[in-house]
Amino acid sequence: MNIILLGAPGAGKGTQASKIADKYKLLHISTGDIFRANIKGGTEIGKLAKSYIDAGKLVPDEVTCKIVEDRLTWDDAGNGYMLDGFPRNIYQAEQLDKFAKVDLCLNIDVDEKLLMDRICGRRVCACGESYHVSTLNGATTCAKCGGELYQRADDNPETVKSRLDTYNTQTAPLIDYYKKQGKLATVTSGEGSPDEVFAQIIKILG
Ligand code: AMP
């Protein structure tokens, strides 16, 4: 099964993606993670992506679609995957339809008022886990792997505002795109705890 995870920044896509990947043995592909790894590695793609990411804008479609199309040809994608952060606009969705088969789009719905606080309070670990400062009780390391927690460079109020604008103008129209294809499932408990959200996703996935 090939799944798309849709939702605004801070909706909990990454958190749910690792839970779904563990339970259903699906490959988790996050375009944001791919860009961050390239930035860390100092690659040409990383250099290009950084300026867009820092501004809260989308990395150009041509680069992003190519990365995903290539990644889906790897052997490990043959048993089903979950795309987290791709597609992010109608053009990317149309391209995806040309090189892959999408079975389901899970849209995690969260009230926009909560998103700024969720993202600005987010602390992440290199292993993929993420936390909110309000639940860390001062801890600075990851409960799962012991790694050092840090704040993403683009998790600051100014960039988040731009990311939310980008989501509303470019990404939100995908909800209708997948509804028309009969592939949309909406996760209405997006404001709940990660376990509550995951419980609803399990129901949807059967
Ligand atoms: P994320 O980790 O999904 O929040 O993505 C972080 C940033 O990476 C975004 O704000 C964009 O700048 C960039 N990015 C991630 N996925 C895409 C995509 N599908 N298309 C364009 N830019 C993307």
Side-chain angles (χ1 to χ4, degrees):
M1 168 135 82
N2 302 329
I3 301 175
I4 287 170
L5 274 179
L6 197 61
K13 296 187 297 295
T15 303
Q16 295 304 321
S18 33
K19 286 175 175 290
I20 297 169
D22 278 355
K23 184 169 171 70
Y24 295 94
K25 309 292 169 230
L26 292 176
L27 177 69
H28 174 198
I29 300 173
S30 155
T31 39
D33 285 349
I34 293 173
F35 288 134
R36 282 183 287 277
N38 274 277
I39 292 171
K40 206 171 168 189
T43 68
E44 287 307 312
I45 287 176
K47 284 177 201 154
L48 171 91
K50 188 173 177 347
S51 57
Y52 293 94
I53 292 177
D54 287 349
K57 306 253 181 279
L58 295 185
V59 178
D61 290 334
E62 203 183 306
V63 177
T64 311
C65 290
K66 176 92 176 59
I67 287 173
V68 176
E69 185 172 5
D70 284 351
R71 184 64 187 85
L72 294 185
T73 64
W74 296 19
D75 283 351
D76 60 357
N79 294 327
Y81 50 81
M82 202 179 0
L83 292 175
D84 162 11
F86 184 93
R88 248 171 156 113
N89 59 28
I90 298 283
Y91 177 80
Q92 292 182 6
E94 287 170 350
Q95 294 308 303
L96 180 65
D97 280 340
K98 291 182 191 164
F99 59 74
K101 181 180 161 288
V102 173
D103 297 302
L104 180 73
C105 172
L106 279 176
N107 176 38
I108 307 180
D109 191 32
V110 176
D111 187 338
E112 188 164 340
K113 288 189 219 91
L114 292 181
L115 298 173
M116 182 62 84
D117 171 68
R118 271 198 185 181
I119 306 175
C120 293
R122 177 161 65 185
R123 296 295 179 270
V124 295
C125 176
C127 78
E129 283 295 292
S130 83
Y131 302 85
H132 191 272
V133 275
S134 62
T135 60
L136 278 171
N137 292 321
T140 56
T141 52
C142 174
K144 197 170 173 189
C145 76
E148 202 62 35
L149 299 179
Y150 61 94
Q151 186 169 27
R152 267 172 51 175
D154 58 345
D155 280 356
N156 65 80
E158 204 181 318
T159 310
V160 172
K161 203 176 160 303
S162 172
R163 287 162 66 196
L164 291 173
D165 283 348
T166 303
Y167 170 78
N168 285 324
T169 53
Q170 300 196 49
T171 311
L174 290 174
I175 296 173
D176 242 24
Y177 181 89
Y178 286 109
K179 197 189 247 171
K180 280 188 190 135
Q181 291 193 357
K183 293 178 179 168
L184 186 77
T186 303
V187 181
T188 51
S189 61
E191 283 144 37
S193 69
D195 285 344
E196 283 164 352
V197 178
F198 190 50
Q200 195 186 358
I201 290 177
I202 290 174
K203 271 193 195 148
I204 291 171
L205 295 180

